[in-house]
Amino acid sequence: MSLKLLEKTRWLALASMLALATGATAGCAADGAADESAPDEGASTDDITQVNHAKVKRQSIGNCWIYAMHSWAEALNKGATNEELNLSETYMTYWHWFEQITNGSVGEELSTGGSYTTAAGLIDRYGMIPEGTFIPSEADSEMSSTQSSALATINASLKSGDLKDPAVRRDRKKVRAALDKAFGLRPEMVESLNKVFGEGVTRTLDRSWASRKPSGGILRAKDIPARLKDPTTGQMGKGTLQDALGTGSWYRRDGKMAWQEADYPSDAAGRRKFEQRVQKALNDGFPVIISWKVDFNALTSKAEFSLQELKSRGPGRQGGHMTVLHDYQADVPGLGLLKAGEQATPDQMTKALSDDTKIVFWRTKNSWGGIRPDRWSEAAIPGYHELMNDYMQGPIKECAEVNHTSDPNNCPRQVTPWWDAVLPAGY
């Protein structure tokens, strides 16, 4: 399905509507208490594509796009440095809410939804920061409890507290103070933010810190090394996260090495060409961000999203989601099954790009936690899901929403689950 601008905008508004951890509906959320006994799980690098991912995390609110963006940035950095940079999703959440409130784009409740270009703009303005620097107590946590508690606090204030007053919402110092309190920021962290951005955010990185680095552990995108490929020469090398982000508006990012969103086509030939572009990027070890529609009745006990499972159970809870691809499994003419999780030669990966290759599934790094016996009993890699290609191609029934909840008894149209992918320049 070619994703129209209107449809994409609609998803941004609904992106907080697909809950995994509780019975509530959410869009890319997985709230609920973390399983403290579950070990942190990282990614295998012994597979077809060898994307060098950082460890799996678990979102507690509907901000999957923030987790996908950080997973993408961490993988690009790890590919360049062979070190794991644990970036704070909570930090970007803080600034996303600050802009919503001060720009007058929020009513009685914050929107937790967003997109790749929403995140890119926030990085331009506020940069990124290590998890342990922003919220030290969550440096090694799989899931942030701070985000869910802060969301409840700010929503209560928007509805009936100090932030209900439009004049307070326009006062950037007061909004900052409310967020500082809701997120439980240490005085030292508040002072660091004040020093870099000003109490009322009179400075941003893209305007005030072009020639020197900010303090307090805040990282500009151009200070974060990234493994990239020059689209002109085809040579792999080290660039920066800013090179990958490029510059520009929320609709398109510009730059020689800027990654771009590509919509999933509606025709079979176009879809295969799209798949080949994604395969090429994965073959080169790049973490491809994808946006797709979840129907939880398609989720099997083996952590697969299966069209057959969905057909047997009928529509369930639905919503938008963003994750980062890691690997794929393919039936390749002349080779047979090229299995995910098994080493492949360059020649095999080239043959897998054949027009007649059939993708069996895409393995994606998710933001729903590593070990989840409440949702699946086994997985090839904890925290990763197999998106069966027949599910991603669809069509599936799209159910109407009532009070932010999908109604499985009212599904008036059919849609394609795969919406788009964010690909490196030249792919």
Side-chain angles (χ1 to χ4, degrees):
M1 176 182 67
S2 180
L3 186 62
K4 299 180 178 64
L5 177 60
L6 178 61
E7 291 172 322
K8 184 177 292 187
T9 304
R10 175 178 179 274
W11 175 68
L12 300 185
L14 298 177
S16 59
M17 317 250 336
L18 185 64
L20 177 69
T22 70
T25 4
C28 58
D31 54 347
D35 182 355
E36 296 299 334
S37 65
D40 286 337
E41 296 288 347
S44 164
T45 56
D46 182 27
D47 48 28
I48 294 175
T49 61
Q50 298 188 356
V51 176
N52 206 357
H53 277 301
K55 69 177 183 178
V56 169
K57 296 184 184 180
R58 179 176 170 184
Q59 61 188 107
S60 62
I61 61 173
N63 56 355
C64 60
W65 57 283
I66 291 179
Y67 280 81
M69 194 70 173
H70 282 65
S71 182
W72 171 78
E74 288 167 351
L76 289 179
N77 176 257
K78 194 174 181 183
T81 65
N82 205 31
E83 297 179 357
E84 190 154 318
L85 179 61
N86 182 11
L87 295 167
S88 174
E89 292 84 4
T90 306
Y91 178 77
M92 183 176 287
T93 301
Y94 174 101
W95 288 113
H96 182 228
W97 296 357
F98 171 81
E99 291 200 348
Q100 275 189 70
I101 297 169
T102 57
N103 292 344
S105 57
V106 64
E108 292 186 348
E109 186 174 297
L110 288 162
S111 168
T112 55
S115 68
Y116 170 77
T117 45
T118 304
L122 289 168
I123 295 171
D124 286 342
R125 294 185 288 279
Y126 307 107
M128 307 179 92
I129 196 170
E131 192 77 73
T133 302
F134 193 58
I135 308 285
S137 62
E138 296 188 344
D140 299 316
S141 299
E142 184 181 70
M143 185 176 75
S144 169
S145 59
T146 298
Q147 293 177 31
S148 55
S149 62
L151 181 62
T153 298
I154 295 299
N155 280 342
S157 185
L158 290 168
K159 186 174 182 179
S160 57
D162 291 343
L163 291 176
K164 182 178 181 180
D165 185 349
V168 175
R169 296 185 187 188
R170 290 191 296 269
D171 190 322
R172 296 161 76 87
K173 289 185 181 180
K174 291 182 178 179
V175 172
R176 271 278 325 277
L179 289 170
D180 292 344
K181 184 177 180 180
F183 280 84
L185 297 188
R186 296 167 297 123
E188 298 88 346
M189 190 70 250
V190 174
E191 181 57 33
S192 290
L193 296 180
N194 291 345
K195 184 175 181 179
V196 175
F197 302 106
E199 288 184 67
V201 192
T202 54
R203 301 182 294 274
T204 53
L205 298 186
D206 55 336
R207 296 188 177 185
S208 304
W209 297 91
S211 59
R212 58 194 179 101
K213 293 183 180 181
S215 58
I218 296 168
L219 304 170
R220 301 171 300 180
K222 67 181 181 180
D223 299 324
I224 300 175
R227 176 180 175 269
L228 298 172
K229 184 177 181 179
D230 189 315
T232 303
T233 65
Q235 296 297 309
M236 292 289 184
K238 287 185 181 180
T240 69
L241 185 63
Q242 191 66 64
D243 293 326
L245 289 171
T247 59
S249 66
W250 75 272
Y251 183 65
R252 179 178 174 82
R253 305 288 296 186
D254 297 315
K256 176 184 177 181
M257 304 180 81
W259 290 47
Q260 300 294 344
E261 291 178 288
D263 292 342
Y264 190 66
S266 58
D267 63 292
R271 288 180 174 183
R272 182 60 196 134
K273 291 185 182 301
F274 178 93
E275 291 174 353
Q276 289 166 330
R277 294 171 67 188
V278 174
Q279 284 179 264
K280 288 176 182 177
L282 289 173
N283 288 352
D284 283 340
F286 289 121
V288 176
I289 300 172
I290 61 168
S291 297
W292 52 290
K293 189 175 187 70
V294 170
D295 188 311
F296 278 117
N297 274 8
L299 178 58
T300 73
S301 61
K302 295 182 178 180
E304 301 167 340
F305 276 86
S306 161
L307 188 61
Q308 285 72 28
E309 182 78 4
L310 180 58
K311 287 180 177 179
S312 69
R313 298 173 64 185
R317 294 183 291 113
Q318 299 178 342
H321 199 35
M322 185 183 289
T323 57
V324 186
L325 291 181
H326 174 64
D327 200 354
Y328 62 87
Q329 185 155 296
D331 189 358
V332 183
L335 288 179
L337 192 63
L338 195 62
K339 294 183 179 180
E342 294 186 2
Q343 197 71 270
T345 66
D347 181 62
Q348 288 174 323
M349 289 191 286
T350 298
K351 289 180 178 178
L353 298 174
S354 163
D355 290 344
D356 296 324
T357 289
K358 304 297 182 185
I359 301 296
V360 180
F361 65 74
W362 306 91
R363 179 168 291 165
T364 193
K365 181 188 177 189
N366 215 325
S367 52
W368 294 343
I371 308 296
R372 295 296 303 275
D374 58 326
R375 294 295 171 179
W376 55 86
S377 59
E378 58 181 298
I381 305 175
Y384 289 67
H385 286 71
E386 267 73 81
L387 309 181
M388 308 307 290
N389 209 36
D390 60 356
Y391 174 81
M392 296 299 281
Q393 291 179 339
I396 66 171
K397 293 180 179 179
E398 182 178 62
C399 303
E401 293 185 1
V402 179
N403 296 324
H404 305 310
T405 301
S406 55
D407 180 1
N409 298 311
N410 182 14
C411 307
R413 69 177 188 138
Q414 296 201 342
V415 297
T416 303
W418 199 339
W419 292 343
D420 63 34
V422 184
L423 294 165
Y427 286 80

